Amino acid sequence: DAKTTQPTSMDCAEGRAANLPCNHSTISGNEYVYWYRQIHSQGPQYIIHGLKNNETNEMASLIITEDRKSSTLILPHATLRDTAVYYCIVGPQDDYKLSFGAGTTVTVRA
Amino acid sequence: ETGVTQSPTHLIKTRGQQVTLRCSSQSGHNTVSWYQQALGQGPQFIFQYYREEENGRGNFPPRFSGLQFPNYSSELNVNALELDDSALYLCASSLFHGELFFGEGSRLTVL
């Protein structure tokens, strides 16, 4: 049973911000939103996670709506190296198991 | 700081054989998880180990088993290989919940 819904694919222009949406309407109060990405032929890479406040790190920003039913991952200045499958995952903080869905295939074009 | 390393990177087995995959966790990480990723799909959780004990298991049969050693490195063993076991096997180590550090994976082909 899928806990998150993401678009199958999206394109973005190099140098522009990439906004990746994720719906998680059944999220529980103790569940975090995690984002990972997987560049072709590599293992997944942790990007960011949050509970209810917006978060920012050197890679991206995570915007979570007030009702926590959806979120957006923002890559501020997409580069060709950001081309990857991006996974939005929800889960409790005390559970190491991550349930990956199909993710969004993001293609950054020059 | 050394990242997560896995071996071998590629291997080919035949149906019915057994395979052992190895993983060295990132320095200081005491938890190791294993995932199976079939072609075109997201990774699926197999199990995790914490301080040498299995600490959670996904929907995989008992012929998938593992070990974690005192230095936190880990092995994944699969017995009686089936064609559907062909996949990329990913190891991830962690210290903090939810922040997993993955290796590059071991690609297994079963003929």
Side-chain angles (χ1 to χ4, degrees), chain A residues 80-98:
Chain A
L80 298 179
R81 287 178 293 182
D82 291 322
T83 292
V85 178
Y86 286 76
Y87 297 100
C88 171
I89 302 163
V90 299
Q93 189 183 32
D94 60 355
D95 186 0
Y96 284 105
K97 178 182 72 175
L98 295 178

Side-chain angles (χ1 to χ4, degrees), chain A residues 3-44:
Chain A
K3 284 188 156 184
T4 65
T5 304
Q6 299 178 252
T8 302
S9 63
M10 61 184 294
D11 287 0
C12 62
E14 188 179 22
R16 296 292 189 98
N19 297 293
L20 282 63
C22 179
N23 287 320
H24 31 79
S25 58
T26 60
I27 192 170
S28 302
N30 68 337
E31 289 185 317
Y32 282 69
V33 179
Y34 299 93
W35 282 85
Y36 281 76
R37 73 180 183 183
Q38 187 171 23
I39 296 170
H40 184 60
S41 298
Q42 297 184 20

